Amino acid sequence: METADGDGRGTTERVLTLLGLLQQRQIWTGPELADRLGVTARTVRRDVERLRTLGYTVHSEHGIGGGYQLGPGPDVPPLLLDDEEAIATAVSLLVGAGGAITGDGDAGLRALTKLDRVLPTRLRHEVAALAGAVESFGGGRAPVDPRVLMTLARACRDEVEAGFGYPSSTPPDRRRVEPYRLVASDRRWYLLAYDLDRDDWRSFRVDRMREVAARTWRFRPREMPAAASYVQEGVAVRAYPNQARLLVRAPADTVRAQVPAQAAVVRPRDQESCEILSGADNLDLVLMHVALLGHDFTVLDPPELAQRCRLLAERLAAAGAEP
């Protein structure tokens, strides 16, 4: 039978509370923990020993600046997570840090910090390798199945082919690819991959994939384009039948703050100007949006868009003339 101590809580509840405190910050003194738990310093020492017997590594240092500190252990401790769960949780939090955790982002960051403090070294290496297969541009995004992200991240890391169903106007709907990077936009997740059936680079929306599976066939990595830039240009420019390139007389950082990442690619030209690349079904929309940015600009491509700009300018001038 569990006994109560101090504030009347059972031993198990108190030990779990102690574990939570140790996960909240780097180091606690014995008196601080005793005060927070409402018990004696001797009870704190006993509870620390209970955590150690459960598999948690708790370091203790005496003297000034000393105290109790939770450290990584040789195994994932009992009552926490097994290897697969720990990796999946850590990577989900890592990839969510770019914006998928909304509303309570601080809670997600605290959870990741707690998990990182108790991950064994072998799992930290795997989490770091998986996170290295992820890039992003933009901000928050719609969530996708973390199991799919894990499968694709592992395939990127291990350099093995991946297969998945993907809706397309030209068969086959089943794709066979060499996966290279996961890229997060401010709306969706994408996979940058080399499409083996089309013999070219492609970006795929992860939320449209079906029956995603990593294969056992390893590939020799090709020289790939810059992942985030390639995917962003595909989303903002290549996906549309009409593309435009404009010179804007304002710093690139200023314009990026005004233009959503999925709407245009902003490339610096010098400290005072930049180029905007954008696509649309109707390029008049691009002209209107750029004009509303409030900066001087010049149409670079296509030439017919410059003529269209002059016609619109004449129409706007006429609309503002005295009746």
Side-chain angles (χ1 to χ4, degrees):
M1 177 180 294
E2 295 176 350
T3 59
D5 192 313
D7 61 359
R9 287 177 295 181
T11 302
T12 299
E13 180 184 356
R14 192 181 62 248
V15 170
L16 289 174
T17 302
L18 172 61
L19 176 60
L21 291 172
L22 291 172
Q23 291 176 334
Q24 284 179 15
R25 77 185 202 198
Q26 192 73 13
I27 193 166
W28 293 82
T29 67
E32 286 177 328
L33 290 173
D35 181 64
R36 292 292 293 269
L37 295 171
V39 297
T40 64
R42 181 180 178 184
T43 299
V44 170
R45 290 194 294 270
R46 287 204 305 263
D47 288 346
V48 166
E49 287 303 318
R50 290 186 176 102
L51 285 176
R52 288 168 175 162
T53 61
L54 290 172
Y56 293 91
T57 301
V58 183
H59 302 294
S60 59
E61 296 288 341
H62 300 289
I64 298 175
Y68 294 100
Q69 181 180 16
L70 189 64
D75 299 294
V76 176
L79 304 180
L80 191 60
L81 301 167
D82 61 27
D83 285 13
E84 288 294 320
E85 292 170 337
I87 295 169
T89 301
V91 172
S92 295
L93 290 167
L94 281 168
V95 299
I101 300 175
T102 58
D104 197 15
D106 289 342
L109 183 59
R110 290 199 305 272
L112 180 59
T113 301
K114 289 180 180 181
L115 186 58
D116 181 66
R117 287 179 183 170
V118 297
L119 276 179
T121 301
R122 68 176 188 278
L123 298 190
R124 290 187 181 197
H125 291 328
E126 183 160 2
V127 168
L130 292 174
V134 176
E135 296 186 21
S136 67
F137 66 90
R141 67 201 64 89
V144 296
D145 188 342
R147 292 171 298 181
V148 172
L149 288 177
M150 286 292 294
T151 298
L152 295 173
R154 281 198 178 102
C156 292
R157 179 200 64 187
D158 297 338
E159 298 173 352
V160 296
E161 292 181 9
F164 49 86
Y166 199 78
S168 174
S169 58
T170 58
D173 285 342
R174 188 73 187 172
R175 300 298 184 94
R176 186 172 58 95
V177 304
E178 296 174 354
Y180 283 80
R181 288 291 187 276
L182 283 167
V183 178
S185 78
D186 51 359
R187 288 186 176 182
R188 298 182 177 93
W189 280 100
Y190 296 86
L191 174 70
L192 172 66
Y194 193 86
D195 192 318
L196 294 170
D197 295 313
R198 289 159 177 78
D199 196 26
D200 200 1
W201 292 98
R202 291 288 190 273
S203 59
F204 301 93
R205 276 176 46 179
V206 174
D207 62 298
R208 298 180 67 187
M209 295 180 180
R210 300 292 180 269
E211 300 177 359
V212 179
R215 301 157 63 93
T216 58
W217 188 264
R218 293 182 62 87
F219 61 85
R220 179 175 295 178
R222 307 168 189 266
E223 183 177 352
M224 71 171 184
S229 298
Y230 182 91
V231 173
Q232 185 192 11
E233 188 170 334
V235 171
V237 184
R238 292 192 303 271
Y240 295 95
N242 302 303
Q243 291 92 38
R245 186 167 64 96
L246 306 99
L247 173 65
V248 179
R249 292 172 180 84
D253 289 343
T254 300
V255 177
R256 285 196 188 101
Q258 296 177 289
V259 179
Q262 79 275 6
V265 175
V266 179
R267 294 176 177 169
R269 175 171 279 198
D270 54 42
Q271 292 184 347
E272 300 300 327
S273 65
C274 62
E275 289 186 11
I276 287 182
L277 284 77
S278 187
D281 295 324
N282 184 345
L283 290 182
D284 283 357
L285 296 175
V286 176
L287 285 177
M288 292 173 59
H289 285 299
V290 174
L292 290 173
L293 295 178
H295 311 297
D296 293 337
F297 69 94
T298 301
V299 175
L300 300 176
D301 288 307
E304 56 269 24
L305 185 60
Q307 177 63 26
R308 182 64 181 163
C309 186
R310 286 189 287 271
L311 292 174
L312 286 174
E314 292 173 2
R315 184 176 300 171
L316 290 171
E322 292 288 340

